Amino acid sequence: MAARNGRTVRDLRRGNRTAVLQRLYFDGPMSRFELGPATGLSSGSISNVVAELVADGLVEEAGTVESDGGRPRTLLRVTPASGHMIGIDVGETRVRVELFDLTLTELARAERPLEHHGYDVEIIVGHIRDGIAEVLAETDLAPERLLGVGIGVPGIVAHTPEQGAVVHGQTIGWDAVPLESLLRSTCGLPDSVPYFIDNGARTLGQAEMWFGAGRGARTAVVVLFGSGVGACLVTEEVEQGRSVEWGHLTVRVRGRRCRCGALGCLDAYAGAEALIDRWREEGGRPPEDTDEETALTAMIAAAYPPQGTGTDPVALAVLEEAAEYVGAGLSDLINLFQPERILIGGWAGLQLGTRLLPAVRRYAASYALRHPAERVSIDLGKLGPDAVTVGAAILPLADFFAHGGQRGTHGRGRHGERA
């Protein structure tokens, strides 16, 4: 039976379940009495929905709290073991696989370094397959209990009815790689387990907006610095975030050649790979036979050494120039989107931010229009280097909530989401 607005009774019931689950998830434990005002549902609806969720094992009691003049009220919370998600970060230096319970408590992790083979598709798929198998075996979790597998990747993710998620990663040599279909044929998970594959900057943005420095903001841009540079825009119209190829914004005409092949991209001046290359090109001495994280750490230490030791002027000059390029790039985001907050994350962003953030703020303000620049804050993300993995796990979790905590009732749709 359809309501006047076209929604069916099933839609209304699912929406009520979603409202209660999300409120308990973010603000619980809560009593039934508190859930009414928090969700806008009547006491009768709250009683019915809670009874369903308890019967489904999604909600459990979590003690009691005294009430004013009446019996103690029972507190409710989301049951941690009622669902599990896998989050995967296909990063620049490693593939990280983590298994979480419904409350995003990490239960197991596996890491595979990316060395000589780089982004060879077969190697990446094999690392993901082995990592999934390892975390499931470590926890003795049956694969069919997974709500889904979320994966953050570098590049643009498109979707086709035939192949699911297809990755266009120009900077890593991926040209329309049918990653979802490759994983389905390789990983051996049940067909009922969906894959959610998206740009790594968007998964970082998901994590920071749900649990980190972006929580409560209506408009924010979360930027990711690793080997390259990316960003995720979150607005009231794009609540789940949209990845933007900010790293390939042109910041210098006829400038350095970027990994994508174009000239003058921000990525060519601010990504970790470019910073280390520029240090070497200008006469610096990056450590040999090390990964990018170790080399960037050495570069920062050379530019900002402890008192009593000499500063490497080349490393310092490259990093100070990078701060201006980043500030100029952020000014474009400020002028275009007028966000409340800009958050800097990613392993390289967190390393660089402690040293460069004051200069980046100063340059962003000097290049941006005064009105939006006065209303934006620029800060580091709060979730650390695991934020991409956490955000990837949020993709199946958000889908689970959107369907009222019901699984196995719908097929895959856009962005790996189940319709």
Side-chain angles (χ1 to χ4, degrees):
M1 178 178 176
R4 289 185 179 181
N5 61 4
R7 297 184 72 196
T8 65
V9 172
R10 178 181 295 178
D11 293 332
L12 294 171
R13 175 171 163 266
R14 183 171 62 188
N16 291 347
R17 286 170 60 103
T18 294
V20 171
L21 274 174
Q22 289 185 326
R23 191 55 56 207
L24 287 175
Y25 192 83
F26 290 108
D27 299 324
M30 299 176 71
S31 68
R32 290 171 176 81
F33 180 79
E34 293 171 308
L35 279 169
T39 60
L41 300 176
S42 68
S43 58
S45 294
I46 291 294
S47 294
N48 291 334
V49 171
V50 168
E52 285 184 14
L53 295 174
V54 170
D56 290 345
L58 295 175
V59 168
E60 64 184 13
E61 294 184 358
T64 59
V65 63
E66 294 296 325
S67 62
D68 296 331
R71 292 184 304 172
R73 294 188 180 122
T74 300
L75 295 176
L76 303 167
R77 68 177 182 184
V78 170
T79 306
S82 59
H84 299 82
M85 303 81 63
I86 287 177
I88 300 173
D89 176 12
V90 179
E92 290 90 2
T93 59
R94 62 178 59 85
V95 174
R96 178 181 290 125
V97 180
E98 296 183 53
L99 175 67
F100 301 90
D101 68 14
L102 199 65
T103 58
L104 284 172
T105 298
E106 181 189 314
L107 303 178
R109 77 160 54 193
E111 293 192 357
R112 298 289 188 276
L114 295 178
E115 297 173 343
H116 306 297
H117 297 287
Y119 283 97
D120 180 277
V121 175
E122 290 186 6
I123 298 295
I124 296 293
V125 170
H127 285 339
I128 294 174
R129 176 199 63 218
D130 295 344
I132 290 174
E134 183 175 328
V135 297
L136 291 176
E138 184 177 335
T139 55
D140 199 27
L141 183 75
E144 56 270 15
R145 293 182 59 191
L146 289 172
L147 301 180
V149 177
I151 306 172
V153 297
I156 298 170
V157 181
H159 296 79
T160 69
E162 299 80 17
Q163 296 179 310
V166 176
V167 182
H168 301 268
Q170 190 166 325
T171 60
I172 61 172
W174 283 18
D175 183 14
V177 172
L179 185 59
E180 182 175 347
S181 62
L182 290 172
L183 293 174
R184 287 207 166 275
S185 64
T186 303
C187 293
L189 294 178
D191 290 341
S192 60
V193 177
Y195 288 87
F196 300 79
I197 301 172
D198 217 319
N199 179 272
R202 181 171 180 253
T203 70
L204 172 67
Q206 285 267 25
E208 288 291 349
M209 295 304 292
W210 275 41
F211 301 109
R215 191 170 183 188
R218 291 174 300 172
T219 58
V221 177
V222 184
V223 297
L224 183 155
F225 287 87
S227 281
V229 180
C232 172
L233 168 69
V234 180
T235 67
E236 291 180 325
E237 293 76 26
V238 193
E239 186 179 353
Q240 299 302 325
R242 182 181 74 231
S243 60
V244 291
E245 291 296 328
W246 177 58
H248 301 290
L249 184 81
T250 302
V251 294
R252 185 168 181 173
V253 176
R254 293 187 294 276
R256 296 183 79 250
R257 189 166 298 280
C258 177
R259 299 182 302 162
C260 73
L263 296 176
C265 296
L266 177 61
D267 197 312
Y269 293 91
E273 181 179 309
L275 290 173
I276 296 163
D277 286 345
R278 291 176 64 207
W279 185 23
R280 182 182 297 107
E281 290 164 6
E282 296 297 324
R285 293 186 174 182
E288 300 296 334
D289 300 321
T290 60
D291 60 29
E292 281 182 3
E293 293 187 36
T294 303
L296 185 63
T297 300
M299 183 179 187
I300 295 170
Y304 305 99
Q307 280 189 328
T309 57
T311 298
D312 182 332
V314 175
L316 181 62
V318 170
L319 290 179
E320 288 184 341
E321 186 184 41
E324 183 169 7
Y325 279 115
V326 171
L330 292 182
S331 75
D332 289 323
L333 296 176
I334 293 169
N335 291 343
L336 285 169
F337 304 117
Q338 300 181 30
E340 295 173 50
R341 302 176 198 174
I342 293 176
L343 306 174
I344 297 173
W347 64 266
L350 296 175
Q351 282 198 48
L352 293 166
T354 55
R355 291 291 185 178
L356 301 185
L357 192 57
V360 167
R361 287 174 176 150
R362 186 171 63 252
Y363 285 122
S366 67
Y367 283 108
L369 293 170
R370 185 170 60 253
H371 179 77
E374 289 174 346
R375 287 159 176 76
V376 66
S377 63
I378 302 174
D379 295 293
L380 297 182
K382 290 183 177 179
L383 299 182
D386 287 350
V388 172
T389 317
V390 173
I394 288 175
L395 298 177
L397 178 61
D399 178 75
F400 184 64
F401 283 161
H403 292 92
Q406 295 171 318
R407 60 174 105 194
T409 59
H410 25 266
R412 296 185 307 279
R414 187 173 178 269
H415 292 302
E417 296 167 3
R418 295 180 288 176

